[in-house]
Amino acid sequence: MKKIAMIPARYAATRFPAKLMQLLKDKTVIRHTYDNTLATGLFDEVMVVTDSEIIFNEITQHGGKAKMSVRTHESGSDRIAEAVADMEVDIIVNVQGDEPFVQKDPLQKLLETFNDESVQVASLMQVLYDEKFIKDPNYVKVVVDKNMNSLLFSRRVIPYPRDKEVAITYYEHIGVYAFRKQALMNFTSWPMTALEAAEKVECLRYLENGVPLKMVVTKYMGVEIDTPEDLERAAKLL
């Protein structure tokens, strides 16, 4: 199977504008993400897809591959779908541009889920331990069934701990996921769903159209850069 990694990169992020161009030690956030994805050696190709000439130049001037989006897109998946529409590819991994600590092992496990032909979409999650992050709407939570298929994603606390005596594991949905090409093209043909619009969590569109995501538990993936405070925490990890 031909496997590629696509990194959607929007300059005007709502919560933290220009976050992908912020410096983390010696490199911008987007270059950390690109370089670490490339360093895994798992992909036939790694490319940034962006609406920004600033981000495009940041990648290409340092020897990386990037592509400008032609149209305006609501989600990273829509942006990737435009870029791969005419490409011969089997599996596409969507690595969010604000994931500078991406590592080989979780991406490899993600790709291995597609050995099961029934899997159309897969994604990563990690255990949340700190109650502050569990309650933080910037951290998207996910609940799964016994087969590790997603049941629901939400920025709210799910499941709600009505019975305090029940031991619950809370999972954060990490913004790294993968799909077969046809599943991605199906996604872009569906209109935005009510849950997706309300939560601003794009993979809810899959669930509302009857497509579960196979979830893979990974160990600590570092810090996803959503706020200036995240950037400060990330800098301490380098």
Side-chain angles (χ1 to χ4, degrees), residues 7-238:
I7 305 172
R10 189 164 64 95
Y11 187 81
T14 303
R15 291 190 297 272
F16 187 7
K19 66 181 182 180
L20 299 185
M21 289 299 296
Q22 301 300 312
L23 278 177
L24 263 178
K25 292 292 178 71
D26 59 335
K27 288 192 290 189
T28 56
V29 170
I30 188 61
R31 277 186 58 211
H32 277 287
T33 304
Y34 180 89
D35 290 349
N36 287 339
T37 304
L38 188 66
T40 66
L42 295 172
F43 302 103
D44 296 293
E45 188 172 12
V46 177
M47 182 183 296
V48 169
V49 284
T50 183
D51 61 354
S52 165
E53 289 187 7
I54 294 173
I55 292 175
F56 178 87
N57 292 335
E58 171 69 5
I59 295 300
T60 57
Q61 289 175 3
H62 289 92
K65 292 185 178 181
K67 187 173 184 177
M68 288 290 296
S69 296
V70 176
R71 301 187 300 275
T72 300
H73 297 289
E74 289 292 331
S75 73
S77 292
D78 292 318
R79 190 179 303 282
I80 290 172
E82 178 197 291
V84 304
D86 297 323
M87 294 176 64
E88 293 289 334
V89 59
D90 299 295
I91 305 299
I92 302 149
V93 175
N94 175 347
V95 179
Q96 301 289 359
D98 56 9
E99 294 278 355
F101 296 98
V102 64
Q103 302 164 24
K104 179 177 181 177
D105 183 62
L107 293 186
Q108 189 165 14
K109 290 178 179 176
L110 195 61
L111 290 170
E112 288 171 355
T113 66
F114 292 94
N115 293 331
D116 179 347
E117 293 184 359
S118 69
V119 174
Q120 297 301 305
V121 188
S123 192
L124 297 175
M125 62 184 183
Q126 66 183 3
V127 177
L128 279 177
Y129 297 101
D130 193 321
E131 187 174 352
K132 177 180 70 174
F133 298 140
I134 292 171
K135 293 181 177 180
D136 189 335
N138 288 319
Y139 288 74
V140 175
K141 275 68 69 176
V142 55
V143 290
V144 295
D145 66 16
K146 292 181 178 180
N147 296 314
M148 302 302 283
N149 292 311
S150 61
L151 293 171
L152 184 64
F153 298 85
S154 181
R155 297 182 181 278
R156 297 295 299 268
V157 177
I158 54 171
Y160 178 77
R162 181 176 179 181
D163 187 338
K164 306 294 185 182
E165 301 302 316
V166 177
I168 292 295
T169 300
Y170 289 94
Y171 293 107
E172 176 196 6
H173 177 222
I174 298 171
V176 178
Y177 45 103
F179 16 66
R180 298 187 192 275
K181 181 180 178 181
Q182 189 56 54
L184 174 62
M185 303 317 289
N186 290 343
F187 174 93
T188 61
S189 72
W190 298 326
M192 181 181 291
T193 56
L195 288 180
E196 178 190 3
E199 292 263 15
K200 296 297 184 286
V201 176
E202 66 184 69
C203 48
L204 284 166
R205 194 185 310 179
Y206 283 111
L207 295 190
E208 287 198 82
N209 282 281
V211 180
L213 282 73
K214 177 68 73 173
M215 302 303 298
V216 176
V217 180
T218 184
K219 295 182 180 178
Y220 184 61
M221 281 280 289
V223 178
E224 180 179 341
I225 311 300
D226 275 322
T227 66
E229 292 74 23
D230 292 335
L231 188 69
E232 293 177 8
R233 290 197 297 124
K236 295 175 182 177
L237 299 175
L238 295 175

